Each structure stands twice: as C-alpha cells, then as structure tokens.
Amino acid sequence: MRVPESLPEPPTSVPVSYATQIRAETLVLLFRQSFPAVFYSAIVALVLSWTLWGQVDNTSLQWWMAALGGSTLIRLLFFLQYFRVKPRGEAILNWERSFTFTLLLSSLVWGVGTAWITPMDYGVARGVVLYHLVGMAAGAMVTYSAHRFINILAMLAVLLPSTLWLYCQDDHMAQGMALSATLFMVISFKATKIMADAMQRSLQMRYELHHAHQEAEHMARTDPLTGIPNRRSFVELSEQTIRHGLRNASPVSALLIDVDHFKQINDQHGHHVGDLVLQHLSTLMATRFRGSDVCGRIGGEEFAVLLADTDLDAAEFVAQQLGQSLAATSIPTMTQPLKITVSIGVASGCYDLATLLRDADRAMYQAKAAGRNRVLCYQPAP
C-alpha cells in the first residue's frame, strides 16, 4: 500500500503564445494544401511540353523537363519526410525553411526555365507559355494563401522572369503581355493580403474563443481564492477516482479538514488574514498530496481530500503529517505571527463518495468536540 507523502509536481509544458500557435497552424494548413500541388505542377508541365513540342528547341525543352522533374522529386521527398515525422505544435516551425526552399526551387525552374525555352521570335509560343504561367501563379495564390510571404515568393518566381524577358522585347505584343502579367501580379499582391488577413483573423478569433471557453471552464471548476478545485470539480474528479479504485479493487479514503477557530481569526485579525489562512492551507495541501489524489475547498473553511489507493491507516498517517506540518508554520499578521491548526476526520471502507464524506464529516466533528487540533477516524457503531 502506498503512503502518499510530499511528491514533486509533475512537469507541465509552457503554453506557446497565440502568435506562435497561429503560425504553426498556418503551416499545417499550408503543407496540407501544398502536397497535391506537386502533382498538379507536374501535370501542367507535361501539358505545356506537349503543346510546345516541335515549336521550340526540343533539347532545351527536355533539359527543362529534367530540371523540373528533379525539383519535383526533391519536393516529394520533403513531403514524404514530413508525413513520416508528423511534427506537431511548435515543432512544425522547423520545417518552414525547408518548405520555402523546395517551393522556391520548383518555382524558379518554372519561371527561369520557361523564359529560357521560349523562342524570341514566336509570338504564339510566348502566349502559350504566359498563359500557363499565369495559371500556375493563380493556382499558387490559392494553394499558398495561408502564408502570404511564401505565396508572393512562389508567384514572383514563376511570373517575374518571363515578364522581365517580355519587357526586353521590341514588339508591342510582348510589351502588352508583360503589362498584363504585371497587372495580374499587382492585383494578386492585394488579393493575397486580403486572404492572409482574413485567415489570420479567423484563426485569432478561434483561439480567443477557445481560450475564453477554457477560462470560463476553469473559473466554473476552481475556487477563486485558493486556486484548488471547488466543490463541483472535487465531486466530479473524486467520482472518477472512486470508479478507478472500484475497478482495480484498491481502497480509497476521504479526509475532511476544518480550520480551528476560523471565525475567531476573522474577528480578531480581519478577513484578509482569514483569506491568507485558507491560501496557506491550500498551498500546503498541494505539496503534501500526490497527483492521483483529489483536493478541494467544499465550503467556507472546510476542505476535502480523496486519497487514491490508500486504506484507513495510511490515510490517518497522511492526515497526521498534514496537521503537524501546518502547526509547525505560522502566518505573518500586523501584530504577531499566527499559528493555525486543523481538525481532520478520516473515513474509508466503501466506494461511495457521499458516504465517505458523511463519515469523514462525523469524525471531524468528533475531533472538534474532543478539543480540536487532532485527527480522528470514523468508527461505525457496533
């Protein structure tokens, strides 16, 4: 049988800020949207190659297809590694740079490569290439809408090389296509900002609502003065512990703790000192009990504890240790340090919370009647 004494608090993770949470979730969404785009890009490249075959230098076209195949393979390997590791939370932030690099590489192969393979004197081929590039840029704007910087980077890498190349030509057709591409990019910059801002606001609102719900739930279950579970939460958590004990045939015990002469403390020292007394007792309880035990303030100066896997003798020992630790400390006041004591009732022997609390309450009142500052165990009448 385990004897619950002072144990270290379990480690807790430090919550990340909203901004980091939103950034991480943005990347999750970005990666999820981007994976199919790898295959779409390859399909569009095949269509463009088939369209230009025989209209441009086939050797240059083959070299471009080889480069695009290599960049596509790199992106696929990146995604396969990502799906294998499945990073969560802040860990996904470490993948952002690799994602940006692979996307930029593929986009540059598209942008620079198509500008290289397009013949300078063939207007139809220029139009075909630019048509495909604008389609790729529009697809990038939708696919990477979750991350504006990556979105703009991909779009510029795809469109800018051919647009600059068209500006360098002398005929009006090339100049007109370059102006149209430029207009598309300007409009896209504004559109990406609108989409990214809307997504950020949506995610921010979701996290704020989630946080507000958690805060409301915490306030509904926590005693505001002491920070430990209130009566409602204590009952719910204790019922779970009792069911676990029943399934495993392990004993459970209840302690009912009442601060001695609490009204007198409030009258002589003020309610603020009374609050300090309750907070001091709660802090001490938090250090004396295990994580599997349930502590709660169930009213006024009364506290309850449900001890998991603990029989009556072990529970009495724990209660004695708590009483002695409390009596050995003092609370500073305006006049002199204040010593406080408690009366504790202990009950065990069943798996019904109401019965355990009722029996512990009877034992606690017996301890008060016997002079306070003591621990008594409930003994059923013969």
Side-chain angles (χ1 to χ4, degrees), residues 73-378:
L73 180 60
I74 292 174
R75 294 207 74 201
L76 280 175
L77 292 175
F78 165 81
F79 277 109
L80 289 176
Q81 180 69 3
Y82 168 75
F83 291 133
R84 186 185 69 82
V85 176
K86 295 179 180 178
R88 292 294 180 266
E90 288 183 278
I92 198 173
L93 300 180
N94 298 326
W95 293 72
E96 183 177 13
R97 182 175 298 178
S98 298
F99 176 87
T100 305
F101 170 77
T102 59
L103 176 61
L104 181 60
L105 176 64
S106 178
S107 300
L108 286 174
V109 170
W110 264 98
V112 176
T114 52
W116 173 56
I117 65 174
T118 304
M120 298 181 63
D121 56 349
Y122 191 26
V124 174
R126 292 179 189 171
V128 169
V129 170
L130 189 62
Y131 174 82
H132 283 78
L133 291 180
V134 170
M136 289 290 295
M141 186 171 64
V142 175
T143 302
Y144 310 120
S145 58
H147 197 300
R148 186 169 186 246
F149 173 75
I150 291 178
N151 195 340
I152 293 176
L153 195 66
M155 185 172 57
L156 288 178
V158 169
L159 270 182
L160 195 58
S162 287
T163 303
L164 293 176
W165 181 84
L166 288 170
Y167 272 123
C168 294
Q169 308 310 308
D170 295 331
D171 61 281
H172 293 292
M173 181 181 293
Q175 296 289 330
M177 286 190 291
L179 287 172
S180 297
T182 302
L183 181 61
F184 174 82
M185 286 187 284
V186 171
I187 295 173
S188 298
F189 291 160
K190 181 64 175 178
T192 56
K193 185 177 189 309
I194 293 173
M195 289 189 293
D197 289 348
M199 181 170 294
Q200 292 295 312
R201 285 194 299 269
S202 176
L203 290 173
Q204 179 74 21
M205 183 177 297
R206 198 182 84 178
Y207 276 107
E208 288 177 354
L209 289 174
H210 178 67
H211 179 70
H213 174 76
Q214 286 184 321
E215 285 290 320
E217 186 68 19
H218 177 74
M219 292 176 62
R221 295 177 176 274
T222 305
D223 176 61
L225 176 63
T226 62
I228 65 174
N230 58 17
R231 187 183 189 94
R232 169 196 168 188
S233 182
F234 172 80
V235 170
E236 292 179 358
L237 295 172
S238 296
E239 293 288 0
Q240 296 175 14
T241 301
I242 287 175
R243 287 194 295 270
H244 182 269
L246 182 59
R247 286 195 303 269
N248 295 277
S250 58
V252 293
S253 299
L255 308 183
L256 206 63
I257 306 165
D258 188 88
V259 179
D260 295 331
H261 305 294
F262 187 70
K263 184 178 183 303
Q264 183 178 339
I265 293 174
N266 279 332
D267 292 342
Q268 291 183 359
H269 302 281
H271 287 277
H272 67 286
V273 174
D275 290 345
L276 291 177
V277 168
L278 299 179
Q279 291 169 343
H280 177 70
L281 175 56
S282 301
T283 302
L284 183 62
M285 290 170 61
T287 63
R288 297 299 303 177
F289 297 110
R290 304 163 298 181
S292 57
D293 301 324
V294 184
C295 303
R297 182 187 179 193
I298 60 174
E301 67 273 23
E302 287 189 349
F303 296 80
V305 182
L306 188 76
L307 301 171
D309 193 22
T310 306
D311 60 16
L312 187 65
D313 291 338
E316 182 183 13
F317 173 79
V318 171
Q320 294 283 3
Q321 292 290 100
L322 176 64
Q324 292 171 11
S325 297
L326 187 63
T329 60
S330 59
I331 297 175
T333 66
M334 296 291 292
T335 55
Q336 60 183 5
L338 176 64
K339 294 282 187 177
I340 58 172
T341 60
V342 291
S343 299
I344 305 176
V346 185
S348 188
C350 71
Y351 294 102
D352 180 71
L353 181 61
T355 301
L356 288 171
L357 292 179
R358 181 197 64 198
D359 294 344
D361 185 64
R362 290 173 178 173
M364 184 266 292
Y365 275 103
Q366 291 174 2
K368 282 188 169 296
R372 296 183 172 84
N373 188 23
R374 65 193 64 219
V375 176
L376 287 182
C377 296
Y378 174 75

Side-chain angles (χ1 to χ4, degrees), residues 6-67:
S6 177
L7 293 178
E9 289 293 319
T12 56
S13 59
V14 179
V16 295
S17 66
Y18 280 168
T20 305
Q21 289 178 332
I22 292 174
R23 184 181 167 200
E25 186 158 339
T26 298
L27 289 178
V28 172
L29 180 60
L30 178 67
F31 288 5
R32 187 186 306 138
Q33 291 177 331
S34 301
F35 180 61
V38 178
F39 302 98
Y40 299 154
S41 173
I43 293 172
V44 173
L46 290 173
V47 172
L48 179 59
S49 299
W50 176 78
T51 305
L52 294 178
W53 189 263
Q55 307 297 324
V56 300
D57 180 59
N58 290 344
T59 301
S60 300
L61 188 60
Q62 289 172 346
W63 276 109
W64 176 69
M65 286 295 295

